[in-house]
């Protein structure tokens, strides 16, 4: 396969060479990243420097960014640009940073037309070495003054030393801003980035255009082979509506920094992220109201969708009533994971509707788009129904032996080994919580089943449903309600603000699960570092603290760790326990 791919690529290159690379003539100037502005002539180079404060706009236009990179990029730009403007001695009134999937925007109001003047002081020799007994400057003073470029008579005496004081006049903002913009772009760091042209610059997605204006003047610079200007691109749906050929885009010019937001809004793009988030939330609820329902609050999903579209339009779709037989967590989980749909509820129950947010405020054929999404969710639910039938054809405990095929950690054994430890540890933790015998019996049985859903088809497909499906399958398998509840609760709290276990058995199993992971993984050398926590141990530690605080439970974490350590297959030193407890 690799040889064939290489042969195809080589053939393609030969064909392009024969055609003299016609696609390179795209109108995009090819320059190396970070070239000085002198190599990128500004169309405004003959303008006089500004004498009054102006607004600055910087728009980085690219292919669609991953949702997480929109927020990350905004935060980085806010911090970096603030520091760079401060270092450049350019005063301003306010800095606002926002973004969409295709553009990251920095807007600076009231940016000074010039740098503030700078006073530089350099300490020289001591007074008794700088001047002789008659008060005349010595060779030391003369050499120091010459080295600093000031007349010797301008040296200032203070604190028994002489100082060279130079006052440096600030440059115009137009001369400084190109370097500031380049430094900003070069300072951005991304979790995952790509290189797409000969510049070698890394960015999450290919950079296609840059708008950089100070007042009405273009800030001339180049980055990643793209030259700054005043021309931006319209939204994707505008390209389609204009009937453009492949590789062509709708564009519009920005007259000046203060005109940017009105110009972009006229194209149908909602660039302000908070405004876009509120708009999507309202559009989703309005769409749900058409089905006499509502969309439950889901801040994480709302944030993700906000960073996936820049011209939102909510569409209400429908699926077959028969899929309502699936558990609600499955229906919602499929919507969220695969399609980023919003569910529609009424009185806490699912309705056979969903809401998708299209990235086009002016869809030519919304019914066609809705029908396409309905076809997708229908296929997804058909798969989920199949997985559910396969899983529920067996009792939950029949899945337990397969946990031996899942490695928990190479030194700590499989997930089945972890379950065996939990069967011993969880009752001990329950006893430390002063649980009665009934709760101890419940937690013992729940510990034996708490990880069994990890090998079910549904959880393999959607790992976010671990514990949730365990609880559902336990009930269908005829397990007592208290056992099913403890299985579902033992992952809690999953995140900050999540509910803590409400039953004693659930709390005991939750603590036992987290204590086993902490004691074992620290001893196995898998402690989290400053930048990596692959086993989520920080989250586990916070989960223990939050669960105890939420339930107002007195519990010795140190004693719980000691109990967990005694069951580990690797030696757990006192130093390791101390490090874990910290």
């Amino acid at each position: 396969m690799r040889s064939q791919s290489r042969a195809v690529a080589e053939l393609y290159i030969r064909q392009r060479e024969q055609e003299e690379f016609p696609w390179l003539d795209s109108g995009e100037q090819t320059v190396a990243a970070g070239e000085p502005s002198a190599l990128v002539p500004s169309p405004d180079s003959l303008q006089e420097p500004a004498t009054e404060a102006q607004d600055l706009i910087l728009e980085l236009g690219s292919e669609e960014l991953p949702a997480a990179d929109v927020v990350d990029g905004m935060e980085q730009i806010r911090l970096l640009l603030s520091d760079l403007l401060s270092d450049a001695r350019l005063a301003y009134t306010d800095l606002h940073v926002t973004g969409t999937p295709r553009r990251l925007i920095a807007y600076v109001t009231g940016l000074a037309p010039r740098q503030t003047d700078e006073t530089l002081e350099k300490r020289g020799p001591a007074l008794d070495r700088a001047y002789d007994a008659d008060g005349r400057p010595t060779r030391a003073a003369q050499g120091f003054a010459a080295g600093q470029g000031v007349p010797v008579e301008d040296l200032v005496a203070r604190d028994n030393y002489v100082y060279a004081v130079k006052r440096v006049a600030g440059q115009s903002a137009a001369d400084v801003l190109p370097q500031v913009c380049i430094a900003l772009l070069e300072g951005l760091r991304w979790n995952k980035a790509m290189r797409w042209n000969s510049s070698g610059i890394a960015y999450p997605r290919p950079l296609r255009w840059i708008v950089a204006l100070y007042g009405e003047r273009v800030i001339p610079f180049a980055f990643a082979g793209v030259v700054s200007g005043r021309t931006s691109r319209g939204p994707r749906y505008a390209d389609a509506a204009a009937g453009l050929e492949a590789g062509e885009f709708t564009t519009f010019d920005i007259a000046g920094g203060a005109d940017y937001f009105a110009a972009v809004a006229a194209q149908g793009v909602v660039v302000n992220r908070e405004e876009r988030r509120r708009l999507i939330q309202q559009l989703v609820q309005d769409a749900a109201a058409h089905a006499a329902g509502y969309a439950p609050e889901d801040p994480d999903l709302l944030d993700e969708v906000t960073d996936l579209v820049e011209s939102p339009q909510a569409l209400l779709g429908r699926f077959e009533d028969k899929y309502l037989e699936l558990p609600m967590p499955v229906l919602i989980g499929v919507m969220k994971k695969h399609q980023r749909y919003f569910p529609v509820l009424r009185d806490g129950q699912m309705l056979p509707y969903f809401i998708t947010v299209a990235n086009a405020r002016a869809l030519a054929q919304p019914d066609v788009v809705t029908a396409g999404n309905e076809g997708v969710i229908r296929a997804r639910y058909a798969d989920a129904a199949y997985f559910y039938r396969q899983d529920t054809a067996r009792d939950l405990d029949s899945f337990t032996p397969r946990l031996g095929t899942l490695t928990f950690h190479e030194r700590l054994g499989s997930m089945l080994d972890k379950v065996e430890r939990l069967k011993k540890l969880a009752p001990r933790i329950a006893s430390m919580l002063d649980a009665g015998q009934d709760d101890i019996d419940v937690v013992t049985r729940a510990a034996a089943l708490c990880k069994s859903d990890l090998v079910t088809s549904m959880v393999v497909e959607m790992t976010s449903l671990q514990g949730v499906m365990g609880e559902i399958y336990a009930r269908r398998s005829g397990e007592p309600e208290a056992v099913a509840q403890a299985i579902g609760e033992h992952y809690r709290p999953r995140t900050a603000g999540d509910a803590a276990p409400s039953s004693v058995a659930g709390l005991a199993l939750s603590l036992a699960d987290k204590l086993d992971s902490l004691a074992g993984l620290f001893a196995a050398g898998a402690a989290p570092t400053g930048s990596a926590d692959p086993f989520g141990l920080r989250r586990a530690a916070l989960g223990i603290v939050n669960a105890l605080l939420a339930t107002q439970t007195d519990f010795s974490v140190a004693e719980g760790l000691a109990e967990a350590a005694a069951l580990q297959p690797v030696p757990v030193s006192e130093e390791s326990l101390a490090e874990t407890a910290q």
Side-chain angles (χ1 to χ4, degrees), residues 56-57 197 223 269 288 296 444 467 529 560 563:
L56 177 147
I57 192 74
N197 62 17
F223 184 79
V269 176
T444 302
T529 63
E563 290 286 351

Side-chain angles (χ1 to χ4, degrees), residues 263-548:
V264 177
Q267 302 295 316
V269 176
V270 185
V271 292
N272 186 297
R273 185 179 184 276
E274 290 304 314
E275 178 185 345
R276 193 167 67 252
R277 189 179 190 276
R278 290 192 296 270
L279 175 61
I280 292 172
Q281 188 174 32
Q282 185 60 52
L283 291 173
V284 167
Q285 294 300 342
D286 291 346
H290 282 87
Y294 64 91
E297 290 189 10
D298 192 331
D300 292 340
L301 179 60
L302 180 58
D303 282 336
E304 184 176 9
V305 173
T306 298
D307 296 322
L308 289 174
V309 300
E310 61 178 11
S311 299
Q313 179 178 348
L315 301 172
L316 180 67
R318 200 181 194 287
F319 58 88
E320 289 86 344
D321 291 3
K322 65 180 181 180
Y323 292 122
L324 293 176
E325 298 176 1
L326 292 170
M328 186 186 301
V330 173
L331 295 172
I332 295 177
V334 169
M335 283 188 186
K336 289 176 57 176
K337 177 188 175 184
H338 295 293
Q339 305 304 127
R340 278 68 175 177
Y341 293 162
F342 293 87
V344 180
L345 276 62
R346 183 191 302 153
D347 299 328
Q349 299 299 315
M350 282 282 296
L351 296 178
Y353 296 95
F354 66 90
I355 299 165
T356 184
V357 179
N359 190 22
R361 298 182 67 180
L363 283 173
Q365 296 178 310
D367 293 343
V368 174
V369 176
T370 301
N373 282 275
E374 289 175 342
V376 172
I377 198 65
R378 186 181 302 116
R380 295 291 187 186
Y381 280 161
D383 289 344
Y386 172 76
F387 295 146
Y388 188 67
R389 287 195 303 271
Q390 291 291 103
D391 291 342
T392 55
R394 306 163 52 181
D395 288 341
L396 180 60
D397 60 1
S398 68
F399 290 97
T400 304
R402 288 182 55 199
L403 292 174
T405 63
L406 298 183
T407 300
F408 174 58
H409 186 275
E410 59 182 358
R411 297 186 60 194
L412 302 178
S414 66
M415 290 302 298
L416 184 59
D417 295 324
K418 180 179 176 68
V419 166
E420 293 301 322
R421 293 195 297 272
L422 291 180
K423 287 165 63 176
K424 299 174 183 176
L425 179 60
R428 298 180 190 178
I429 300 300
S431 297
M432 295 172 63
L433 296 174
D434 296 326
Q437 188 57 48
D438 289 344
D439 285 326
I440 292 176
D441 292 340
V442 167
V443 79
T444 302
R445 179 58 178 167
L449 298 173
C450 66
K451 304 297 182 184
S452 299
D453 65 339
L454 293 179
V455 291
T456 62
S457 299
M458 189 67 73
V459 175
V460 168
E461 176 68 16
M462 290 187 292
T463 56
S464 61
L465 293 179
Q466 58 186 347
V468 175
M469 299 312 301
E471 179 178 1
I472 293 171
Y473 290 158
R475 287 197 183 94
R476 288 188 61 93
S477 299
E479 297 291 338
E481 175 61 28
V483 171
Q485 180 181 351
I487 292 172
E489 290 181 342
H490 92 280
Y491 283 103
R492 295 183 187 173
R494 294 174 183 263
T495 59
D498 190 18
S502 59
S503 66
V504 174
L507 178 60
L509 186 54
S510 174
L511 295 175
D513 182 33
K514 296 171 176 61
L515 290 169
D516 175 81
S517 295
L518 288 166
L521 291 167
F522 266 82
T529 63
S531 60
D533 185 14
F535 291 95
L537 296 183
R538 291 192 186 95
R539 183 172 64 248
L542 289 173
I544 291 173
V545 173
N546 291 336
L548 294 175

Side-chain angles (χ1 to χ4, degrees), residues 129-193:
R129 294 183 56 239
Y131 299 98
D132 60 18
D134 297 328
R136 291 174 298 196
T138 64
R139 286 181 176 273
Q142 293 171 355
F144 171 68
Q148 297 302 314
V150 298
V152 70
E153 58 269 18
D154 288 348
L155 294 177
V156 177
R158 187 173 69 245
D159 302 330
N160 292 322
Y161 289 91
V162 293
Y163 289 83
V165 179
K166 295 186 291 185
R167 289 173 176 81
V168 180
Q171 295 179 278
S172 70
D175 293 333
V176 176
L177 286 173
Q179 289 78 20
V180 170
C181 291
I182 291 171
L184 170 66
L185 292 172
E186 290 179 342
L188 297 175
R189 298 292 180 266
W190 307 97
N191 184 37
K192 290 183 179 180

